[in-house]
């Protein structure tokens, strides 16, 4: 596990992790509980006024450089990044850490759309991406599938796999389904997460499912659209929109729901699925990104093709009609999630840090020595 001897040498940077509303912030919030000292500087936080993004980053960039100049213990900058605007911010931090202060850099890619972002940009931006990925001392991705893709696309990158981390439930979980089958969706409200496909399935089968199935939706994003869709489809008696949920409210939903549903079109390794599994919930999701590393079809849930509403229906129907299936799959989720708990993940992360702090050593799972870059 992590020790003060290691963590004092690491500066983390990524989205603001306090009262976060995103997966990366949630991961960093768990890091905060296990790092001592916890050295972290936010590169981004959400504002209602988007004009504040640039001045906020400018201030944080200055603080980042000041921190590296003053704190000589910091030898590793661990960057938690994604695509779009996140990449541009992290590129500037990468350039400062490597070029100005000669620190080791870990570039931790959390986004399932990072390669799509890379492929769709101009040659100049692609050059920046390649410089960042291939110039980092270690690139962390979230699954073996992503590692294969990044290694093929960025031949000189030192890529290793580190699973996302999730904390165990703070209360005992006893799962026994009673009454209607209660489905739960937690995530960003929008097309990418497949929530409107799920509502289409409810609309198509609302007479069949009335009184037998309920759905609770929690999240931010296109909240007005999802509420309007619920009203237009006449699903008010079956579907509840809970808004953004966190803390005790999220715990209550995870304890009282039966099945977690996330029919996404694009993901890396969603923290919401890990949280649901830690609460002994079976999962219905899609065969994309790192999800098949968490959800094994017909063992702790069902995997469907993105956008396939017939498969979504069939999966929910099996959960509804097969006696004991929810409980059995939930127990399997609880067994499988152990490898994502802090003890396992941070033991591996500690080895990555140790190897970077030891000259000439390449972290396990990395394909090529850093000095070959």
């Amino acid at each position: 596990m992590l020790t003060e001897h290691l963590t004092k040498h690491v500066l983390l940077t990524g989205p603001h992790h306090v009262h976060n509303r995103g997966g990366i912030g949630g991961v960093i919030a768990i890091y905060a509980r296990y790092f001592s000292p916890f050295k972290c500087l936010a590169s981004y936080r959400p504002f209602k006024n988007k004009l504040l993004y640039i001045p906020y980053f400018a201030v944080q960039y200055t603080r980042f450089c000041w921190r590296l100049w003053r704190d000589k213990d910091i030898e590793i900058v661990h960057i938690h990044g994604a695509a779009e605007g996140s990449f541009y911010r992290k590129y500037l931090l990468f350039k400062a850490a490597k070029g100005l202060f000669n620190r080791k850099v870990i570039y931790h890619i959390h986004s399932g759309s990072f390669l799509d972002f890379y492929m769709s940009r101009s040659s100049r931006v692609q050059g920046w991406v390649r410089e960042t990925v291939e110039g980092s001392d270690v690139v962390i991705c979230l699954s073996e599938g992503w590692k294969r893709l990044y290694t093929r696309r960025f031949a000189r990158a030192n890529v290793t796999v580190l699973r996302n981390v999730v904390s165990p439930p703070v209360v005992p979980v006893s799962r026994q389904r009673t009454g209607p089958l209660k489905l739960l969706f937690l995530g960003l409200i929008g097309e990418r997460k497949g929530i409107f496909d799920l509502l289409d399935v409810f609309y198509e089968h609302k007479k069949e499912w009335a009184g037998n199935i309920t759905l609770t939706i929690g999240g931010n994003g296109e909240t007005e659209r999802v509420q309007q869709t619920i009203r237009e489809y006449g699903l008010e008696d079956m579907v509840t929109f809970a808004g953004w949920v966190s803390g005790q409210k999220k715990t209550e939903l995870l304890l009282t729901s039966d099945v977690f549903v996330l029919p996404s079109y694009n993901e890396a390794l969603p923290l919401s699925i890990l949280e649901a599994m830690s609460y002994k919930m079976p999962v219905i999701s899609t065969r994309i990104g790192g999800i098949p590393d968490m959800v094994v079809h017909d063992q702790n849930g069902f995997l469907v093709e993105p956008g396939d509403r017939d498969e979504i229906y069939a999966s929910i129907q099996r959960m509804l009609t097969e006696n004991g299936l929810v409980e059995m799959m939930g127990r399997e989720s609880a067994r499988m999630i152990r490898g994502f708990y802090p003890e396992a993940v941070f033991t591996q992360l500690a080895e990555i840090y140790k190897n970077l702090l030891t000259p000439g050593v390449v972290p396990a799972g990395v394909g090529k020595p850093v000095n070959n870059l």
Side-chain angles (χ1 to χ4, degrees):
M1 286 285 283
L2 297 162
T3 63
E4 180 181 352
H5 175 70
L6 289 175
T7 58
K8 73 177 183 179
H9 296 299
V10 180
L11 175 64
L12 298 162
T13 184
H16 191 63
H17 67 280
V18 179
H19 306 302
N20 66 86
R21 291 197 172 190
I24 304 177
V27 169
I28 296 176
I30 298 175
Y31 279 47
R33 298 201 291 270
Y34 289 87
F35 279 53
S36 180
F38 176 63
K39 299 181 179 182
C40 183
L41 197 143
S43 59
Y44 166 85
R45 67 181 304 168
F47 293 101
K48 290 183 178 179
N49 184 351
K50 294 184 178 181
L51 294 176
L52 295 176
Y53 288 164
I54 293 177
Y56 176 80
F57 176 74
V59 170
Q60 295 302 93
Y61 179 84
T62 302
R63 293 182 62 198
F64 177 82
C65 293
W66 177 256
R67 188 74 175 270
L68 291 181
W69 183 69
R70 287 292 302 272
D71 191 340
K72 303 305 182 184
D73 281 335
I74 296 173
E75 298 183 46
I76 298 170
V77 176
H78 187 161
I79 298 174
H80 292 263
E84 305 299 338
S86 172
F87 168 74
Y88 298 111
R89 291 188 292 271
K90 304 308 165 36
Y91 175 66
L92 294 176
L93 297 178
F94 162 81
K95 293 286 284 185
K98 294 292 285 186
L100 294 179
F101 297 99
N102 196 30
R103 298 305 206 270
K104 301 286 182 67
V105 171
I106 296 173
Y107 196 74
H108 197 148
I109 303 174
H110 291 266
S111 173
S113 60
F114 189 81
L115 283 178
D116 292 336
F117 164 77
Y118 167 74
M119 294 298 294
S120 64
R121 292 309 186 264
S122 67
S123 59
R124 173 175 291 184
V125 174
Q126 287 186 357
W128 295 342
V129 174
R130 186 171 294 279
E131 178 187 358
T132 304
V133 174
E134 296 189 338
S136 294
D137 297 274
V138 175
V139 173
I140 291 177
C141 65
L142 304 181
S143 72
E144 291 294 338
W146 284 117
K147 179 180 178 179
R148 289 190 292 270
L149 291 172
Y150 290 135
T151 302
R152 282 201 296 267
R153 182 60 59 183
F154 306 106
R156 299 176 64 200
N158 294 329
V159 185
T160 192
V161 176
L162 182 73
R163 291 171 164 177
N164 264 346
V165 62
V166 64
S167 293
V170 296
V171 295
V173 179
S174 177
R175 191 159 299 286
Q176 186 66 44
R177 182 192 151 196
T178 57
L181 180 70
K182 295 177 281 294
L183 307 182
L184 177 64
F185 171 99
L186 298 176
L188 182 68
I189 307 299
E191 294 286 352
R192 184 172 70 87
K193 296 285 186 177
I195 183 59
F196 296 104
D197 291 331
L198 184 57
L199 290 177
D200 286 344
V201 172
F202 265 77
Y203 176 69
E204 292 167 6
H205 300 278
K206 66 178 181 178
K207 290 184 179 179
E208 176 186 0
W209 283 353
N212 296 315
I213 298 181
T214 63
L215 169 65
T216 299
I217 300 170
N220 57 347
E222 297 182 53
T223 57
E224 293 184 5
R225 179 185 172 190
V226 79
Q227 293 177 84
Q228 181 180 352
T229 302
I230 292 169
R231 290 191 298 269
E232 289 179 353
Y233 284 0
L235 297 173
E236 293 93 336
D237 292 337
M238 303 174 68
V239 180
T240 300
F241 177 65
W244 175 259
V245 294
S246 60
Q248 185 59 35
K249 178 61 176 178
K250 179 191 281 190
T251 299
E252 290 174 4
L253 288 174
L254 290 167
L255 285 171
T256 57
S257 302
D258 297 312
V259 179
F260 188 78
V261 185
L262 190 73
S264 296
Y265 285 79
N266 187 293
E267 293 284 0
L269 195 74
L271 190 62
S272 59
I273 288 182
L274 298 179
E275 291 176 331
M277 289 172 60
S278 74
Y279 279 81
K280 298 184 179 179
M281 294 179 71
V283 177
I284 298 173
S285 193
T286 46
R287 297 181 181 89
I288 57 169
I291 292 176
D293 289 355
M294 301 182 290
V295 181
V296 179
H297 185 73
D298 225 9
Q299 291 188 27
N300 70 316
F302 298 116
L303 295 176
V304 305
E305 294 301 319
D308 193 324
R309 294 194 287 270
D310 290 337
E311 284 192 328
I312 295 173
Y313 164 75
S315 298
I316 295 173
Q317 193 67 11
R318 284 192 61 184
M319 294 290 189
L320 175 66
T321 58
E322 294 187 23
N323 290 331
L325 184 64
V326 169
E327 292 81 1
M328 183 274 289
M329 287 188 165
R331 289 192 296 271
E332 188 64 14
S333 281
R335 183 191 68 80
M336 295 170 63
I337 196 63
R338 294 171 190 162
F340 296 86
Y341 283 157
E343 182 176 359
V345 174
F346 288 144
T347 296
Q348 184 183 352
L349 180 59
E351 288 302 310
I352 294 173
Y353 288 161
K354 287 177 186 176
N355 290 336
L356 278 179
L357 294 170
T358 305
V361 175
V362 180
V366 176
K368 298 180 182 179
V370 173
N371 59 13
N372 280 356
L373 290 176

